[in-house]
Amino acid sequence: MSVSAVGAPTANAGRVSPFLNGGVRVPARSAFARVASKPTRNVTTAAAEDKRPSPYAFEKEMDGLEQQQLNLGGARLAAYAAVVGGGLAMGATVGGKVGGNAGRAALAVGLGAAAAAGVVTADKKRVSAAPKALWNGMMNRDPASITKAEVDAIGSKFGMNDMAKDCPEGVTELYDAYLMSVIPMGDDPVQGWEPEALKNFRAQLGLEDADAANAHIEVGRRLFRKRIELGDKDADIESRREFQKLVYISTRTFGEQQAKFLLPWNRIFRVSDAQVTLAMKDSASNLLKTVLAKSGAVANLDDASLAAAKQFQNEVNLSDADAAAVVSAMAQEIVVGKIEQAAELASARTVNSDYTAANSLLSEVLNFNKTLASKAGALPGLGVVNLFGSSFADKTGEAKTLFTNFLTQGCEDGTFSGELKTSAGSLKILFGMGNKEAEDVVIDVTTKVYRQRLRDAVKSGSLDSAESPASVLQQICEALQFPPELAAEVNKENYRTKMEQVMEKKSLTDEDVEALSRVRRLLCVPKDVVDQCTREICGAVYKNQVRSALSVGTEAFTPQLRDRCKAAKNKVRLTDEMALEILKAEVTTAFMAYIRVARTKGNKIEQSKEIRKMIYFNQTVVTPMVTDVTKAAAEDAAKELASLLKEATEAARKEEEAEAKEAAAVAAKAEAEAKGEDATGDDEKEEASAEASKDEVVAEEKSEDAKPDDVKVEKETYQKTVTLRSEMDSVASQGIYQDYLMFCMQGDTVTAPMGVQITIERDQSEFTRLAQLGDILGLNQMEVGTVHKGLADKAFRAQAEQLLGDGKGLTAERSEKLKEIQQSLQLPEPDAQRIIKGITSKKMMGEMQAQIAMGTLTIADVRRMKQEGVEIENVISPDKRMALFRKNAEARLTDGSGAADIESLSVTLPADLGIDPAKAKTELLKIANDKKRSTMVAAVAELRQKKVSDVVRSAKNLVACHGVSPDSVLEWSVKEELQDIYSVFANEGANETDQKNLQDALGLDDATAAGLREIVGAGKFQLKQDVADEALF
């Protein structure tokens, strides 16, 4: 494109524009790629890198003067001189013609000045024309292709050595347009070449950093205005991202230190340092991500690429933490891609399940994780990857399928190797599976493999030919690391399956038994498992027959049903113990059905009748069936017992013989020593005795030999083997037994016409059935005795309450009557006395409550009731007992009897009333102090009234109060009155102890008291009232 293309056509139209040969290039690859491939630092155009359109896509128009400046080019100064010279010449010519020399000079000067002014005006257009010319020269071109020489060439045409200094605004506008074009719009990331391209472009333009910084600030303002003007949420987010990219590119362009000075983002745009840091981090992270994706550093994990990536991280000044986030996310993305591909292969529906391709991808992932772990120090974020937070994190079903398929293929050869175990552990961590979930998968897979290996061993005959099948099974388990207990469960299931197969015909033949025995031997099935399977599978046939026989009831039960049960037991080869266990369960169910029906009846009699049906059912139906399965065991037990008894008898007989011989020898020796004579006669006697003993032993042996070996088993009338002991609690069982006992005692009833209830005579056989009911319910002798005793208690209590209900007490006649009732009911003496005592105590408590309400209760009543067993603490409230204590204490301290019994008041009385001794003592002191003062006042008042007997009484009460509370001191102002009280008390014949106590209570010293006693003893003391009476008579 020629320069004339931006202006009017000239003679130089054929010249080629210098802008066609650009030399400025942006980096063809990032610094990361350069380090990796080690090329020369050549640059290429931005268009080649990003294919961006030129920011100079339109032509800027020039006015006439700007066009002239462009056309003048280097001849501009000559043109200026010609214009000014022409003006002077024209002025001189015209002026000479008009005004002579003076006019010529003046006009020449004027026209020259006007020409010069026009030249100056035209020259100013250079400042605006030069940037426009440069713009038009770069139209539709890559700005990165311009060179400094081309810029200077255009500037020289306008007489400018440095266009950026002569017209900075215009050049800044050029830079502004390029800056706006290199900022990625929308979600496009920063490519990395932008800061270098801007720096090169600014250098070719010769633009100062301060002027370029203004362009960056202006672009930021436009982005900020765009966010405000659009007012759209999405546009706002997009504008923010573009602003973040601007901040990053600008900072990288000027350098961090210079950018802080030239680009005050905080002050102009009100953004914080944290926001600026975030913008730098996001753009640098995206740039690192782009570089890593292009180089394949994370995917390939070669040392050179990782080193280049680390260098690039340092170049973009990205922290290790932020770089680690990018690297780990990319590594996880690679892993997730392979995992999803494997999951897609695993879910494909094929005829034959082939997991090879999917497992190969899983192996690649595991190897990739191992490599990541080994390269952990080369680049931040390299390490073992898991799927947490990824798109595959919630696909637990697919992860479990992949894990299962991986283990299945790994165990195909029948071994669970250590390598497979390690890989499975790594996969478990990768998928985020829990220990329990992973273990379940491992168990499922190894169980299937164990079943297959076991099937192969049986089919091949290796188990049959093995000397020890257990060792073969153990080898299979060890190869698979399969738990023996789970293997035992599998073996049990196989044995159970075999038994179900042979039991399809509802019976077992000898061949079936032999086949089961073979399976048991090959699989090493223990006896308890065999018994369990036999009980559940073979026992089901017997259970059905038993259930049918029990369901017909008492009346319809026939020997044929019993025989069917025995035949079913023999067909399936059940042992007596197994049959009895099954029979117990079915009979228990039947018994509980009778009890449930009984509980629905409306009264006790109907309930007892239903229970009687259960007893009949037990005797008629259950007992024969239980006998069939327990007879052999009973006979064996009886034989064993008879054998033991025989052995014990034989041992006892031999011991008796030995003792008899020893005793006979001792007796013979003693007799020989004593008499010393008749030896011959004695020998004959001894021989005769020995012969007789021998005959007796022979007779006993013959009698023993004559006893038959067969032992007869006592036949019970009803069975006691099946009970409800474990099905019902003891309380409920005793309740049923008690109700039936009452039914036996009262007899049955029938309803006569008109609704009359008639009691039938008691049937004594009901008591036999009662004993059978106790055995059915599983009650022991103690529990049965408790029920009988409880009924006896109730009967005795009812009759005792009737006798003692009138409140007249327990007389001798009534005691004798109660004794007879007690003996008839066979009630123990302590229980009878307890009931009588309870009844009398109840009556007394009622009387006591009435006395408390009327206020007539005395301590004597309390003591009497306490002796008769009434618990005072439970009958009388604490407040009432304290009030009774206070009342008795006051009465004792004011009864005029003199010194009080301290122990009686402080110990005995509180004990009788059940009061705490400490509280009683505190209350007693309080009462004594109060009464001491009031008694003193009363004594003085009576003294003044000359009432001698009342004074003596008050003095004695004062002595009693002082005995309880000796520490309290009375204060009285008139000492003569205290002395008169003492004198009256002494004059009335008080003993020395009482006088001493009163002296202490009145607070008299010993001298005063001695003087008063001397006066009284001399007969000189006499009240004035007495003197007046004597004078009168």
Side-chain angles (χ1 to χ4, degrees):
M1 175 181 178
S2 65
V3 177
S4 61
V6 297
T10 64
N12 299 325
R15 297 175 60 188
V16 179
S17 171
F19 295 106
L20 293 176
N21 298 320
V24 180
R25 296 175 177 269
V26 297
R29 279 165 286 190
S30 63
F32 160 68
R34 292 199 306 272
V35 173
S37 57
K38 298 183 180 179
T40 58
R41 293 184 63 87
N42 292 336
V43 293
T44 184
T45 61
E49 176 71 22
D50 198 32
K51 304 298 181 182
R52 293 175 179 269
S54 174
Y56 314 113
F58 61 92
E59 182 180 356
K60 283 197 173 185
E61 296 182 358
M62 296 184 181
D63 57 19
L65 293 177
E66 291 174 341
Q67 189 66 47
Q68 288 178 359
Q69 289 291 330
L70 176 63
N71 294 335
L72 287 175
R76 187 184 72 261
L77 295 178
Y80 289 168
V83 171
V84 174
L88 291 173
M90 185 179 294
T93 302
V94 175
K97 293 180 179 182
V98 176
N101 291 332
R104 181 169 52 236
L107 187 57
V109 172
L111 290 176
V119 168
V120 171
T121 301
D123 189 62
K124 290 182 178 180
K125 286 294 184 178
R126 291 183 306 128
V127 178
S128 60
K132 289 182 179 180
L134 182 59
W135 179 289
N136 293 335
M138 296 175 62
M139 187 173 64
N140 293 326
R141 285 188 55 187
D142 183 3
S145 63
I146 190 172
T147 64
K148 179 67 173 174
E150 291 175 322
V151 175
D152 291 342
I154 293 178
S156 64
K157 293 177 64 175
F158 292 92
M160 299 179 182
N161 294 327
D162 191 346
M163 189 185 299
K165 291 182 179 179
D166 294 337
C167 48
E169 291 83 359
V171 176
T172 301
E173 184 179 358
L174 288 168
Y175 180 78
D176 186 308
Y178 184 51
L179 173 62
M180 195 66 188
S181 69
V182 300
I183 297 176
M185 296 291 106
D187 295 332
D188 295 339
V190 175
Q191 300 295 320
W193 55 264
E194 296 90 349
E196 187 70 21
L198 287 172
K199 194 181 298 182
N200 290 334
F201 185 61
R202 190 169 70 248
Q204 304 308 320
L205 293 178
L207 191 63
E208 296 291 336
D209 288 346
D211 296 331
N214 291 333
H216 285 260
I217 295 297
E218 185 60 31
V219 171
R221 287 194 176 101
R222 283 198 294 273
L223 294 176
F224 194 80
R225 285 196 300 271
K226 172 185 173 182
R227 190 179 71 185
I228 297 175
E229 290 171 357
L230 293 178
D232 183 64
K233 183 178 180 180
D234 295 335
D236 179 73
I237 295 175
E238 180 179 341
S239 180
R240 287 178 184 273
R241 292 174 179 169
E242 293 170 356
F243 184 79
Q244 289 179 342
K245 298 168 190 173
L246 171 66
V247 171
Y248 175 76
I249 293 173
S250 302
T251 303
R252 296 290 298 162
T253 300
F254 295 104
E256 290 191 13
Q257 296 298 326
Q258 195 172 2
K260 290 180 181 179
F261 174 72
L262 295 175
L263 303 172
W265 307 110
N266 309 58
R267 178 172 56 82
I268 297 175
F269 298 102
R270 307 277 184 183
V271 294
S272 63
D273 292 336
Q275 291 174 308
V276 174
T277 303
L278 179 63
M280 295 293 295
K281 186 200 78 170
D282 288 347
S283 297
S285 298
N286 291 331
L287 189 56
L288 178 62
K289 183 177 181 180
T290 302
V291 169
L292 291 174
K294 289 181 179 179
S295 66
V298 177
N300 300 325
L301 294 176
D302 58 287
D303 295 336
S305 299
L306 294 176
K310 180 64 179 177
Q311 181 181 351
F312 183 77
Q313 174 201 344
N314 296 331
E315 288 181 7
V316 297
N317 198 23
L318 189 64
S319 67
D320 287 346
D322 297 333
V326 174
V327 173
S328 61
M330 291 192 68
Q332 187 185 62
E333 185 178 354
I334 294 171
V335 170
V336 169
K338 290 183 178 294
I339 295 295
E340 288 182 343
Q341 186 180 355
E344 185 176 355
L345 290 173
S347 61
R349 296 183 178 275
T350 57
V351 177
N352 296 322
S353 299
D354 187 7
Y355 312 130
T356 305
N359 291 342
S360 177
L361 290 172
L362 293 180
S363 298
E364 291 180 10
V365 169
L366 294 177
N367 292 331
F368 181 69
N369 256 344
K370 291 179 182 178
T371 308
L372 284 174
S374 64
K375 302 285 185 180
L379 188 66
L382 291 180
V384 177
V385 175
N386 57 45
L387 301 180
F388 180 75
S390 68
S391 59
F392 201 80
D394 297 332
K395 299 178 181 179
T396 55
E398 297 180 11
K400 186 175 180 180
T401 300
L402 290 174
F403 188 70
T404 303
N405 295 344
F406 187 83
L407 291 176
T408 301
Q409 190 175 34
C411 295
E412 283 180 345
D413 58 350
T415 59
F416 193 86
S417 62
E419 181 182 358
L420 178 61
K421 187 175 183 180
T422 303
S423 300
S426 301
L427 270 184
K428 180 194 75 171
I429 297 173
L430 176 65
F431 291 144
M433 299 175 68
N435 292 333
K436 180 65 169 59
E437 183 181 7
E439 288 175 3
D440 290 343
V441 174
V442 172
I443 292 300
D444 290 342
V445 172
T446 52
T447 300
K448 291 178 182 178
V449 177
Y450 177 79
R451 290 179 186 276
Q452 182 63 42
R453 301 288 294 178
L454 188 62
R455 187 181 302 112
D456 295 342
V458 173
K459 288 182 178 180
S460 64
S462 59
L463 269 180
D464 287 302
S465 61
E467 183 178 352
S468 173
S471 61
V472 177
L473 298 179
Q474 184 178 359
Q475 291 174 3
I476 297 175
C477 292
E478 290 176 352
L480 285 173
Q481 297 186 24
F482 193 56
E485 57 273 13
L486 296 181
E489 287 296 324
V490 174
N491 297 342
K492 172 184 174 181
E493 185 177 347
N494 289 331
Y495 181 82
R496 185 183 185 90
T497 303
K498 180 63 177 178
M499 181 172 285
E500 289 174 348
Q501 291 175 355
V502 300
M503 275 297 297
E504 289 179 354
K505 57 184 181 300
K506 307 298 182 183
S507 64
L508 285 179
T509 63
D510 294 339
E511 291 79 9
D512 296 335
V513 174
E514 184 178 353
L516 289 174
S517 177
R518 172 179 174 269
V519 173
R520 176 188 176 185
R521 181 180 59 82
L522 295 180
L523 300 182
C524 301
V525 181
K527 183 179 183 302
D528 58 338
V529 174
V530 173
D531 292 343
Q532 180 184 356
C533 295
T534 305
R535 188 181 302 109
E536 294 176 359
I537 300 173
C538 300
V541 177
Y542 177 70
K543 180 189 292 185
N544 292 334
Q545 290 296 333
V546 169
R547 190 172 294 172
S548 300
L550 296 178
S551 63
V552 300
T554 305
E555 293 79 4
F557 184 75
T558 61
Q560 290 76 15
L561 292 173
R562 179 181 178 182
D563 293 338
R564 289 178 189 174
C565 294
K566 290 191 291 185
K569 170 179 171 293
N570 295 330
K571 282 183 180 180
V572 295
R573 314 263 178 124
L574 282 181
T575 63
D576 289 342
E577 291 77 9
M578 294 180 185
L580 180 60
E581 184 177 347
I582 296 171
L583 184 59
K584 277 184 178 180
E586 297 301 319
V587 170
T588 300
T589 303
F591 283 163
M592 293 303 298
Y594 278 105
I595 292 177
R596 283 194 296 271
V597 173
R599 287 172 176 171
T600 61
K601 299 302 179 178
N603 55 66
K604 299 292 184 181
I605 294 178
E606 295 298 325
Q607 292 179 5
S608 299
K609 289 181 179 179
E610 194 65 33
I611 295 298
R612 184 168 58 186
K613 292 180 182 179
M614 180 180 71
I615 299 172
Y616 288 145
F617 175 77
N618 177 65
Q619 188 169 2
T620 306
V621 179
V622 177
T623 298
M625 297 182 67
V626 172
T627 303
D628 291 338
V629 296
T630 59
K631 183 177 180 181
E635 290 177 352
D636 293 340
K639 289 180 180 180
E640 183 178 0
L641 179 60
S643 176
L644 293 175
L645 289 175
K646 185 176 181 180
E647 291 177 1
T649 303
E650 184 68 21
R653 184 180 62 79
K654 291 181 179 180
E655 184 177 355
E656 289 177 358
E657 288 179 358
E659 290 177 356
K661 289 180 179 181
E662 183 178 358
V666 172
K669 185 177 180 181
E671 186 176 358
E673 291 177 355
K675 296 182 178 180
E677 56 186 12
D678 297 335
T680 305
D682 292 339
D683 291 339
E684 292 177 355
K685 291 181 180 179
E686 184 176 350
E687 290 176 0
S689 176
E691 188 70 24
S693 299
K694 185 176 180 180
D695 293 339
E696 291 178 358
V697 171
V698 173
E700 289 179 0
E701 289 179 353
K702 289 182 178 179
S703 63
E704 291 290 336
D705 295 337
K707 292 182 180 179
D709 292 336
D710 295 336
V711 179
K712 294 183 180 180
V713 180
E714 183 180 355
K715 186 177 180 180
E716 295 182 348
T717 57
Y718 60 91
Q719 64 86 25
K720 300 180 181 180
T721 305
V722 183
T723 67
L724 299 178
R725 181 76 180 180
S726 59
E727 299 297 323
M728 299 178 60
D729 60 273
S730 177
V731 176
S733 299
Q734 291 181 37
I736 295 174
Y737 184 87
Q738 178 176 315
D739 292 341
Y740 199 81
L741 175 58
M742 293 296 297
F743 175 74
C744 295
M745 295 172 63
Q746 295 173 359
D748 195 0
T749 59
V750 295
T751 304
M754 305 298 293
V756 177
Q757 294 285 339
I758 301 175
T759 301
I760 304 175
E761 184 179 356
R762 289 189 302 176
D763 186 1
Q764 294 299 325
S765 62
E766 291 291 350
F767 288 96
T768 304
R769 286 188 281 274
L770 176 66
Q772 188 176 166
L773 175 62
D775 291 330
I776 293 174
L777 295 175
L779 298 177
N780 54 39
Q781 294 297 324
M782 183 178 295
E783 291 169 337
V784 171
T786 301
V787 174
H788 284 272
K789 180 177 174 299
L791 284 179
D793 286 351
K794 290 182 180 179
F796 183 79
R797 182 182 298 277
Q799 298 190 48
E801 287 179 350
Q802 184 177 3
L803 285 175
L804 303 175
D806 56 1
K808 294 182 179 180
L810 185 62
T811 63
E813 182 180 356
R814 291 179 176 180
S815 298
E816 186 67 24
K817 181 63 175 177
L818 290 175
K819 188 67 175 179
E820 293 177 1
I821 297 173
Q822 171 196 341
Q823 292 176 353
S824 65
L825 293 174
Q826 297 182 353
L827 187 66
E829 179 68 21
D831 294 334
Q833 294 301 322
R834 175 179 53 80
I835 295 173
I836 295 172
K837 188 176 181 180
I839 296 173
T840 55
S841 298
K842 184 177 180 181
K843 300 294 293 182
M844 289 181 182
M845 284 188 288
E847 296 174 358
M848 180 183 290
Q849 295 296 336
Q851 288 180 323
I852 292 174
M854 294 185 295
T856 59
L857 184 66
T858 63
I859 188 63
D861 297 330
V862 171
R863 288 170 178 163
R864 178 175 58 83
M865 294 180 182
K866 196 169 185 180
Q867 290 175 356
E868 294 180 359
V870 178
E871 296 181 356
I872 301 299
E873 294 81 356
N874 299 331
V875 177
I876 307 177
S877 65
D879 294 339
K880 297 286 187 182
R881 282 183 276 128
M882 184 58 74
L884 189 59
F885 172 79
R886 192 178 296 111
K887 177 181 177 182
N888 280 271
E890 290 177 355
R892 174 61 189 84
L893 295 177
T894 58
D895 61 358
S897 60
D901 186 356
I902 304 301
E903 183 178 358
S904 175
L905 290 175
S906 60
V907 178
T908 306
L909 184 60
D912 292 338
L913 293 173
I915 300 175
D916 183 24
K919 292 182 179 180
K921 186 174 182 180
T922 302
E923 188 67 23
L924 185 61
L925 288 175
K926 182 179 178 182
I927 295 171
N929 291 331
D930 294 342
K931 292 298 179 182
K932 196 173 186 180
R933 181 67 183 175
S934 61
T935 302
M936 182 66 184
V937 173
V940 172
E942 291 161 355
L943 179 67
R944 292 173 180 175
Q945 297 176 14
K946 312 304 179 185
K947 296 180 178 179
V948 176
S949 59
D950 292 341
V951 171
V952 173
R953 180 183 177 85
S954 297
K956 289 183 177 180
N957 292 339
L958 192 60
V959 169
C961 294
H962 183 72
V964 174
S965 178
D967 296 333
S968 63
V969 180
L970 290 174
E971 298 292 339
W972 195 261
S973 58
V974 184
K975 299 296 183 180
E976 290 78 5
E977 291 180 339
L978 298 179
Q979 295 174 5
D980 288 345
I981 292 174
Y982 182 81
S983 299
V984 170
F985 189 67
N987 191 45
E988 293 298 319
N991 56 41
E992 294 181 0
T993 302
D994 291 341
Q995 292 180 22
K996 177 61 178 176
N997 291 336
L998 182 60
Q999 172 190 342
D1000 295 338
L1002 297 176
L1004 301 176
D1005 55 37
D1006 292 340
T1008 303
L1012 293 175
R1013 285 195 299 270
E1014 185 178 353
I1015 294 172
V1016 171
K1020 297 179 179 180
F1021 176 78
Q1022 191 175 16
L1023 289 177
K1024 291 181 179 180
Q1025 183 65 40
D1026 295 338
V1027 174
D1029 291 342
E1030 290 178 1
L1032 181 61
F1033 294 101

